[in-house]
Amino acid sequence: MRRFLQNKLAVFGIVTIALFLLFCFVGPLIHPTDQIHTDLRSTMLPPGSPGHPLGTDDVGYDVLGRLMMGGQISILIGLAAGILATVIGTLWGAIAGYVGGVVDTVMMRVVDAGIAIPATFLLLILSAILRPSVPLMICVIGLVSWLVPARLVRAESISLKSREYVLALRAMGGTHSRAVLKHIVPNTVGTIVVNATFQVADAILLVAYISFLGMGLQKPATDWGAMLTSGITYTYAGAWWLIFPAGFCIVLTVCAFNSIGDGLRDFFDVKGRAA
């Protein structure tokens, strides 16, 4: 832990994520707002207006309250999709690397084919066909993001399956599933945990991409990317408060998760540790 805490960027990332969680999930209790009904009498109020610290948008929604609600959805989708992608990729890569042979070849060709198709392109197609919702976006982003962790875990599994403890388990009659779940996967935990933080950051960016292109959640629901889309029309009119807060939150959150990932990489780097 001392090694992890010595990484100032990692500490910054943890503190930032903790503050964002408090802001998004506890903030609405302190600053309650109506994010369902529009108020056309209070549209486009600038920051500092009475009752609206960050102003209002084009239909009268309080921007600060909307920022909290959008953060809830963005972080929820990012965390859930990142965990889903990590679980699928870990199991896929561990099985492919452990079994080897034709099974490994077929499974990794599936991964290669999936990586060749841009995730944003798939998300846009699915968003055009299906009505976007939080569970759907979690499933779709998770199912297009598991490819990278699968390749990483597969490489680790190839080296681990020849270790003495795995060979001893097989000699004693242990099953393949036990070898994968009890030995292969636990010994790749460093790679899994580090990659999971990057998966969460990538998922938050994917949500922002899709919403910015107008294919995300529909009002009254919102996320940070949808807030950028709604506010960009009024940017040239000087309504900077409609896009700057959401953009700042996206950049800071993604940087925080990436910083945590860098810190965890140092934490699990046994070769780099001092004796």
Side-chain angles (χ1 to χ4, degrees), residues 28 39 48-49 52 66 68 95 118 148 154 164 168 201 208 253:
D39 184 5
S49 300
H52 305 289
R66 204 137 185 86
M68 295 176 185
I95 293 171
V148 173
R154 181 248 185 186
E164 291 80 2
T253 304

Side-chain angles (χ1 to χ4, degrees), residues 9 18 36 46 85 103 126 159 175 182:
L9 283 178
I36 298 178
V103 174
L126 291 174
S159 63
T175 62
K182 297 295 184 180

Side-chain angles (χ1 to χ4, degrees), residues 107-192:
M107 293 179 72
M108 296 316 295
R109 293 298 78 75
V110 172
V111 172
D112 293 339
I115 291 178
I117 303 174
T120 307
F121 176 72
L122 288 176
L123 288 171
L124 286 174
I125 293 177
L126 291 174
S127 297
I129 297 174
L130 304 173
R131 180 179 177 83
S133 64
V134 172
L136 177 64
M137 295 186 75
I138 290 174
C139 292
V140 171
I141 293 176
L143 292 175
V144 300
S145 303
W146 62 272
L147 304 169
V148 173
R151 298 186 72 173
L152 294 175
V153 174
R154 181 248 185 186
E156 295 274 351
S157 300
I158 291 175
S159 63
L160 289 171
K161 70 178 182 179
S162 60
R163 299 290 176 87
E164 291 80 2
Y165 47 83
V166 178
L167 297 176
L169 173 68
R170 297 294 302 130
M172 291 186 294
T175 62
H176 294 299
S177 60
R178 182 176 179 83
V180 171
L181 296 177
K182 297 295 184 180
H183 293 286
I184 301 297
V185 172
N187 281 283
T188 60
V189 66
T191 301
I192 294 170

Side-chain angles (χ1 to χ4, degrees), residues 24-25 66-81 133-135 137-138 141 203-204 207-208 211 216-218 220-226:
C24 294
F25 293 93
R66 204 137 185 86
L67 201 64
M68 295 176 185
M69 186 175 76
Q72 291 178 8
I73 294 177
S74 294
I75 293 175
L76 175 62
I77 294 177
L79 288 173
S133 64
V134 172
M137 295 186 75
I138 290 174
I141 293 176
I204 292 175
V207 174
S211 297
L217 301 175
Q218 303 302 313
T222 191
D223 57 73
W224 288 335

